[in-house]
Amino acid sequence: MTTTVLLDAGVVSRCRRRVHLEHDPAMRDAQRSAPDPTAELRKADATRHRRVTADGLAARFGGRWVEVSGGPESRASDREAATAAALTEGHDFIWGATLPRDPRSGRRGTIDLLVRSGAGYVPVLVVRHKVTDPGTGARTSPLAELDHVGGRPDSARKVRPQPRDQLRLAHTRRLLQAAGFADERSAFAGVIGMDGDAVVWHDLQAPTWPGGRTALAEYDSRFADRIAVATAAATGTPALAEPSRIVECRSCPWWPVCEDALVKTRDVSLVVRGEDAGMLRSAGVTSVDALAGIDPYDTDVPLVGMPVADAVGLARAWLADLTVVRRTQTIDVPRADVEVDVDMESFGDAGAYLWGVLLSGADIGEPRGYRAFVSWEPLPTDDEARSFAEFWRWLTGARKAAADRGLTFRAYCYNELAENRWLLASAKRFAGFPGVPRKREITQFIESDEWFDLFGSVREHFLCSQGKGLKTIAPVAGFAWRDPEAGGENSMRWYRDAVGLDGDEPVLPQRTRLLEYNEDDVRATAALRAWMTSPAVHDIPYVGDI
């Protein structure tokens, strides 16, 4: 039976409630969040990346290549007709395809590239993120052999999990099957990633997902659910998806609608997200008030994301309008004679262009205060190796100077995942460049007591009802950023301007803005640490007292 809605591939990776709102006629004029400028920039970057990739492949394959004309601004029906004609004519490579819609199953969709493979076509995505990591196990083909579907085992790469990519490919395969153009001999589908030097092949029928599921089986299950949700919304039948706060809410345009509904009901997901919120509802705990009233030591409610006592404490903090409460009576943060705060700025997966440090404590012969090690050449660039080597040389020198004077040393960051990633990645990418340390040297530092992640202390000693980000917790310690727009997402936009990444002249004031932003980040870490080890921290209520 024909469905009342047509859904694209994005719905299977999207919140069920968002799918409902997108298809509910009553929500057509609802107020939504403005598009995130940084997200729009990422989309523009991805579009440029696809264009560059397509132009390179078109030049390589010449007459075997055809591009569906019209672009996204043209009528979908015209693009569908052009794609159907190209498929019927049997072109080897079809770029910018809009597949014939499948009203029976409720599918519509586009794909970057269709590759002819003997008995039919296979889909290929072009994405601006990494799709492999060093290792073995991936099946790849060089771009010159793009029509070698399935490729060969690659001894240098392993597949980086990107579930959304595989689900998009599964959606396209189902559309190809409905239109009669799928290669039914196998279920391979490809992805060309940010490096753009090879296509990585996924077998959509292989049991590579949790529980031994295949990507196609996972897709089919999710799509059937989203069709049901969207159809219920479109036809005015009882909703199959109610609002609940999850991580995706932070960037969802429908969040104002959901937030309003959740606040009105004082929904438990306002303080406990995701699976834990569902488990609490199943146990009859649906509101923040109900959660706050639980005796955490006399309940059998199971939670997976946090101890029940923490969930109850967060609920009580939310009701008291407290951003932060103490989780423990005493707070312990290790200090040292010589202290260095470190913060790194990166631009997506392209590289780390700035390492900022703040030196404080005992005299080691180096000027105290902030300094930056930066490259203003647009990433990716080998000049990044120079700035990283200078940072490492300075940090190593500070550690040695402290040791030579018999002083203790400790370097601090806030949430080490980012810094550790680029410490290790830079050592690997720039191995052999002057001053760049070996990976072993980086690892020894990361694993030593001289490298301390302050985020871990915040997680151990505080409950934060509005999140644990530095921009949330440091103001509680009395710190304020100079720039009212300071934030990681905005810094990506400033960086584009600072280096002229879009082909314009570099905007030099944006470089100053980035340096001040980085300096404020390291000063915020220092201020937070000082506050956590001062008597003032006890002005924050203890969770057991609220």
Side-chain angles (χ1 to χ4, degrees):
M1 179 181 293
T2 300
T3 65
T4 59
V5 295
L6 290 168
L7 305 182
D8 60 23
V11 296
V12 295
S13 301
R14 199 169 293 155
C15 164
R16 299 173 77 246
R17 182 62 182 178
R18 179 173 175 176
V19 174
H20 173 95
L21 293 171
E22 289 172 340
H23 293 87
D24 184 350
M27 302 306 299
R28 192 166 294 140
D29 298 323
Q31 184 174 358
R32 284 164 255 181
S33 299
D36 176 25
T38 306
E40 295 301 304
L41 284 172
R42 284 199 298 268
K43 291 178 184 178
D45 285 342
T47 298
R48 279 189 288 271
H49 175 65
R50 287 194 296 270
R51 185 68 264 164
V52 169
T53 302
D55 290 345
L57 292 172
R60 183 188 297 273
F61 294 114
R64 301 173 63 195
W65 180 275
V66 64
E67 182 164 345
V68 175
S69 60
E73 294 80 19
S74 61
R75 291 196 307 174
S77 57
D78 292 339
R79 298 196 303 275
E80 285 180 30
T83 300
L87 289 164
T88 302
E89 292 164 6
H91 292 279
D92 289 338
F93 304 101
I94 304 172
W95 177 263
T98 298
L99 277 298
R101 64 191 64 191
D102 177 15
R104 182 174 181 81
S105 298
R107 292 185 182 90
R108 60 181 172 87
T110 62
I111 190 68
D112 298 318
L113 180 61
L114 295 171
V115 177
R116 192 166 182 265
S117 176
Y121 284 86
V122 299
V124 174
L125 273 174
V126 178
V127 296
R128 197 179 179 275
H129 55 248
K130 288 185 176 294
V131 297
T132 62
D133 288 312
T136 60
R139 297 187 67 90
T140 67
S141 299
L143 294 189
E145 300 175 15
L146 185 56
D147 54 352
H148 184 191
V149 173
R152 304 179 186 86
D154 194 322
S155 61
R157 312 181 211 223
K158 66 177 180 181
V159 173
R160 172 179 283 201
Q162 297 285 4
R164 184 173 298 185
D165 293 350
Q166 293 188 46
L167 294 172
R168 288 176 64 190
L169 292 167
H171 183 87
T172 305
R173 178 169 175 81
R174 292 302 189 218
L175 280 169
L176 284 167
Q177 289 176 315
F181 288 104
D183 183 351
E184 296 292 1
R185 299 174 306 172
S186 69
F188 279 113
V191 184
I192 300 172
M194 191 172 76
D195 294 337
D197 61 342
V199 56
V200 177
W201 296 103
H202 297 279
D203 185 349
L204 303 179
Q205 288 180 328
T208 55
W209 281 58
R213 299 192 307 278
T214 68
L216 281 169
E218 178 70 17
Y219 163 80
D220 288 340
S221 174
R222 293 194 191 192
F223 191 80
D225 173 74
R226 300 312 192 266
I227 277 287
V229 169
T231 301
T235 56
T237 53
L240 298 181
E242 297 297 336
S244 184
R245 190 171 70 104
I246 58 175
V247 173
E248 184 183 333
C249 293
R250 290 182 295 189
S251 58
C252 179
W254 291 97
W255 172 238
V257 175
C258 290
E259 182 182 30
D260 182 63
L262 293 172
V263 170
K264 284 179 179 177
T265 61
R266 303 167 77 85
D267 187 80
V268 70
S269 70
L270 290 169
V271 297
V272 180
R273 294 183 299 193
E275 185 178 351
D276 281 345
M279 296 175 77
L280 286 167
R281 290 193 194 98
S282 297
V285 182
T286 61
S287 70
V288 178
D289 306 74
L291 178 58
I294 288 178
D295 180 348
Y297 305 104
D298 185 26
T299 180
D300 57 359
V301 174
L303 296 181
V304 295
M306 67 177 68
V308 173
D310 286 356
V312 172
L314 282 170
R316 293 174 180 174
W318 188 88
L319 292 176
D321 198 25
L322 296 171
T323 301
V324 177
V325 295
R326 280 183 292 126
R327 185 172 179 267
T328 59
Q329 289 276 22
T330 60
I331 294 174
D332 178 39
V333 176
R335 302 296 298 267
D337 299 323
V338 179
E339 297 181 329
V340 174
D341 294 278
V342 179
D343 186 65
M344 174 276 311
E345 307 294 342
S346 63
F347 186 72
D349 288 327
Y353 64 90
L354 169 59
W355 293 87
V357 296
L358 179 72
L359 174 64
S360 57
D363 180 23
I364 57 171
E366 285 278 346
R368 296 181 185 87
Y370 173 78
R371 65 179 298 169
F373 304 89
V374 61
S375 171
W376 294 120
E377 290 187 9
L379 295 171
T381 171
D382 286 348
D383 191 52
E384 183 189 345
R386 174 201 54 78
S387 59
F388 174 68
E390 290 177 355
F391 156 71
W392 187 256
R393 189 179 303 115
W394 182 90
L395 183 65
T396 302
R399 295 166 65 195
K400 184 178 185 303
D404 289 346
R405 289 165 171 78
L407 301 171
T408 57
F409 174 94
R410 188 167 271 114
Y412 302 84
C413 65
Y414 197 82
N415 201 341
E416 65 185 357
L417 291 178
E419 274 74 20
N420 286 357
R421 174 196 175 188
W422 286 109
L423 283 168
L424 293 166
S426 299
K428 179 177 181 179
R429 291 164 62 219
F430 301 119
F433 279 73
V436 171
R438 293 179 180 273
K439 179 181 177 182
R440 180 175 62 253
E441 188 178 348
I442 296 287
T443 301
Q444 289 172 346
F445 170 68
I446 288 173
E447 295 176 352
S448 75
D449 291 339
E450 291 188 343
W451 183 232
F452 190 82
D453 182 8
L454 198 59
F455 176 78
S457 292
V458 169
R459 184 172 50 199
E460 177 183 357
H461 295 298
F462 297 102
L463 293 176
C464 308
S465 64
Q466 304 298 322
K468 302 180 185 70
L470 187 61
K471 304 299 186 299
T472 300
I473 190 73
V476 178
F479 186 85
W481 276 258
R482 284 172 282 182
D483 194 318
E485 298 181 10
E489 293 292 325
N490 283 336
S491 73
M492 306 281 268
R493 174 167 52 85
W494 303 341
Y495 175 79
R496 300 184 69 92
D497 296 338
V499 300
L501 202 59
D502 298 317
D504 301 323
E505 285 295 315
V507 181
L508 299 185
Q510 293 290 59
R511 298 183 179 183
T512 301
R513 193 177 196 183
L514 284 166
L515 291 170
E516 290 179 348
Y517 165 65
N518 181 262
E519 180 181 358
D520 282 354
D521 273 0
V522 291
R523 291 192 181 278
T525 307
L528 180 59
R529 178 176 66 259
W531 173 73
M532 289 174 68
T533 54
S534 75
V537 74
H538 294 286
D539 293 338
I540 298 296
Y542 171 59
V543 66
D545 296 332
I546 61 173

